[in-house]
Amino acid sequence: SQTITASSLGSTIRGFGISISGGKDLDRNSYPDVVIGSSVSNHIVLLRSRPVVIMTGSLIAGSSSVTLKNDTCLVPGFSQPLPCFNITLSVSGRISGQMRTNKLVVNVSVSLDTDKLAPAKRLFVMPSQQTVYNPLL
């Protein structure tokens, strides 16, 4: 839910919410819009509806701990194998209503090494050989 106050819309609006009308698509985007009246200041406010995308995500580590003696990853630029572990990042979305585009861009950032004062990165992400495309998103 969302709370909309008169002060968030303008400093001259008084008597906000005395009348409310909805259910009509005034801007022709296939969503019902809402008009709210402010009787004291003689204003109306048009709140236009739009599609909403609800995103969920999860990050799953391949194990609960990393064994530093398990040197199994060959990394370009390093002469010896390094310890490694797998993580799986999953992002999904549900669109309410109809989108005007069939493309949705989602940017995801994963921070592994939070010690910004460390002289060298302790963790880094290697590119995966697996790409998963979900056309339902």
Side-chain angles (χ1 to χ4, degrees), residues 109-123:
S109 174
V110 177
S111 178
L112 296 175
D113 196 344
T114 59
D115 186 2
K116 296 189 187 286
L117 300 177
K121 287 289 181 194
R122 297 174 292 173
L123 297 169

Side-chain angles (χ1 to χ4, degrees), residues 26-83:
L26 299 174
D27 59 359
R28 298 178 192 221
N29 68 351
S30 302
Y31 296 97
D33 301 311
V34 177
V35 177
I36 302 175
S38 299
S39 61
V40 176
S41 60
N42 255 354
H43 286 90
I44 62 164
V45 176
L46 170 63
L47 301 176
R48 294 183 288 172
S49 300
R50 61 181 181 207
V52 174
V53 178
I54 300 166
M55 302 295 298
T56 59
S58 67
L59 181 69
I60 301 169
S63 71
S64 59
S65 63
V66 177
T67 304
L68 296 178
K69 294 180 183 177
N70 185 12
D71 299 339
T72 58
C73 292
L74 298 173
V75 180
F78 290 87
S79 59
Q80 295 182 354
L82 299 174

Side-chain angles (χ1 to χ4, degrees), residues 12 17 42 101 107 131:
T12 60
N42 255 354
T101 179
N107 294 316
T131 301

Side-chain angles (χ1 to χ4, degrees), residues 4-21:
I4 300 170
T5 61
S7 61
S8 68
L9 300 171
S11 61
T12 60
I13 296 177
R14 301 282 182 259
F16 182 69
I18 296 298
S19 61
I20 298 176
S21 178

